[in-house]
Amino acid sequence: MQPFVRKRQSSALHAATFMCSRSVGSAEMEMVLSKPRFHLDLWLRFTIQNWILDVGRPVVMLVLPADWFSLNRPGAAEYLHILYNITTPLTLLKMLELSPRNLPLPAVHVGIIVVIMATSFHLVADSITRRLLLIGYELHLSVRENPVMQNLKPTSLIDAFELLFYYDDTVGHLMWYIPLFLILLFFFSGCFCHRKQEEKMPSAAWMLLVPNAAYYWYLITEGQTFILFIFTFFAMTATVMHQRRQGMSPDTNGLFMLYSFSAALFLVAVWVACLWNDAVLRRKHPGLIYIPQPRAVYTLHLRQSTQT
């Protein structure tokens, strides 16, 4: 009788253990296969911040009368730039926080510090450029070719302005955009789900697609970041191919980034095609990669037409 009771107890214990392990396993599977969520708050913040505080700065500079602010004090565009310097690191930190993967804290700290330094370089250079435009500086010409610079005495001051624009256009942009695109790529590497969970983008994502792609176009053209952008896009494409071999596919956030990058490349191609035969801009942007800056197009064509 006792062996029979022990056998019943043992079988009951094994059954309970099996049910418990099965429930734990199903709970873990449910966590793994949890429905991916489109981060509307992140992308809305990213788009609004960049359009108002980054793209909006030159617009404010052109629209507001120059005599509204003293030239030896910050103007409306500079205050927008200061806000951009504050909000951009917070947005990048939010993006890293939402990523399922984690970066080492020293790498995060160094990246954010570099971005803040670069945007500070850009703030100073943009402030001086705005004041140079008021006295006839032409952005479609090099520093030495500008009539304003040719009248400077002593001529060594031209070297100082060339150094200023070198910090802005070369050093500052590299320090600014390399961490930005690395963070975008790192965030994208975590935007994958199982093929069974693959979904179409929500309507909110489609609404944000056009302004987000247009901002990437602005980064490529005005920031001259085509090489960084195209390498990031190639890395994203390679990540998709690798993940598909493992049965994974981009979730709604990953699709949003892929479609935004693809649309931005299309906009850049149209922009370059429209300005392909412009000899003046060709001299401003020599070399194999020819992508004119919007502000250079404005000072060459639009401002002259409005003045006449």
Side-chain angles (χ1 to χ4, degrees):
M1 188 68 179
Q2 288 183 353
F4 178 75
V5 173
R6 291 197 186 100
K7 188 175 181 180
R8 290 283 302 274
Q9 291 177 347
S10 177
S11 60
L13 180 61
H14 283 299
T17 304
F18 173 75
M19 293 295 294
C20 181
S21 61
R22 185 177 179 182
S23 62
V24 172
S26 61
E28 291 179 353
M29 183 63 66
E30 185 179 355
M31 290 178 60
V32 172
L33 297 179
S34 59
K35 184 178 180 180
R37 182 177 67 90
F38 180 69
H39 299 303
L40 177 60
D41 54 341
L42 172 66
W43 295 118
L44 187 62
R45 172 180 175 179
F46 182 81
T47 304
I48 293 177
Q49 166 203 289
N50 290 326
W51 269 97
I52 294 179
L53 302 182
D54 193 9
V55 183
R57 284 186 287 105
V59 176
V60 168
M61 181 179 65
L62 297 174
V63 171
L64 293 183
D67 54 357
W68 279 21
F69 299 91
S70 177
L71 294 181
N72 60 353
R73 292 291 184 272
E78 283 78 37
Y79 287 119
L80 289 178
H81 206 315
I82 292 172
L83 290 176
Y84 180 83
N85 294 3
I86 297 172
T87 58
T88 298
L90 298 177
T91 303
L92 296 179
L93 287 174
K94 182 66 175 179
M95 188 173 294
L96 292 174
E97 178 185 338
L98 293 174
S99 176
R101 307 174 64 184
N102 294 322
L103 278 175
L105 278 180
V108 175
H109 294 163
V110 171
I112 295 302
I113 291 173
V114 170
V115 169
I116 294 175
M117 290 177 59
T119 52
S120 300
F121 288 161
H122 199 263
L123 168 62
V124 175
D126 257 17
S127 301
I128 296 175
T129 303
R130 173 177 172 268
R131 285 144 183 82
L132 290 175
L133 288 172
L134 296 176
I135 59 175
Y137 188 84
E138 303 290 345
L139 290 173
H140 59 274
L141 299 175
S142 65
V143 176
R144 291 190 178 273
E145 291 177 345
N146 261 273
V148 176
M149 296 297 170
Q150 293 175 358
N151 297 327
L152 283 180
K153 299 297 181 182
T155 57
S156 58
L157 286 175
I158 301 178
D159 297 328
F161 279 101
E162 285 185 329
L163 177 63
L164 172 70
F165 286 104
Y166 176 76
Y167 271 116
D168 177 28
D169 296 334
T170 304
V171 178
H173 282 189
L174 288 176
M175 293 174 61
W176 182 355
Y177 294 123
I178 288 179
L180 172 63
F181 284 113
L182 285 178
I183 291 176
L184 287 173
L185 179 60
F186 180 79
F187 180 81
F188 176 79
S189 66
C191 296
F192 288 87
C193 61
H194 198 271
R195 285 182 180 176
K196 296 180 180 179
Q197 303 171 275
E198 189 173 1
E199 292 184 353
K200 297 180 180 179
M201 287 202 313
S203 57
W206 287 109
M207 293 176 61
L208 290 176
L209 180 63
V210 173
N212 199 53
Y215 177 70
Y216 289 140
W217 166 85
Y218 178 78
L219 284 186
I220 298 170
T221 55
E222 187 63 38
Q224 296 292 290
T225 59
F226 177 77
I227 296 179
L228 290 175
F229 183 89
I230 200 66
F231 271 105
T232 304
F233 185 62
F234 286 159
M236 291 166 60
T237 306
T239 304
V240 172
M241 297 172 62
H242 173 71
Q243 292 288 347
R244 285 192 182 278
R245 287 195 295 266
Q246 298 182 352
M248 308 291 285
S249 61
D251 62 8
T252 52
N253 296 284
L255 291 175
F256 176 74
M257 295 184 69
L258 281 175
Y259 293 162
S260 298
F261 272 59
S262 301
L265 285 178
F266 174 76
L267 293 176
V268 171
V270 173
W271 173 259
V272 173
C274 293
L275 301 169
W276 186 258
N277 296 321
D278 197 305
V280 178
L281 294 175
R282 281 279 183 179
R283 190 168 64 251
K284 169 68 174 178
H285 301 281
L288 181 62
I289 300 177
Y290 167 70
I291 301 178
Q293 291 177 298
R295 289 198 299 177
V297 175
Y298 169 77
T299 58
L300 176 61
H301 297 293
L302 301 180
R303 188 171 71 173
Q304 291 181 359
S305 62
T306 55
Q307 288 176 352
T308 56

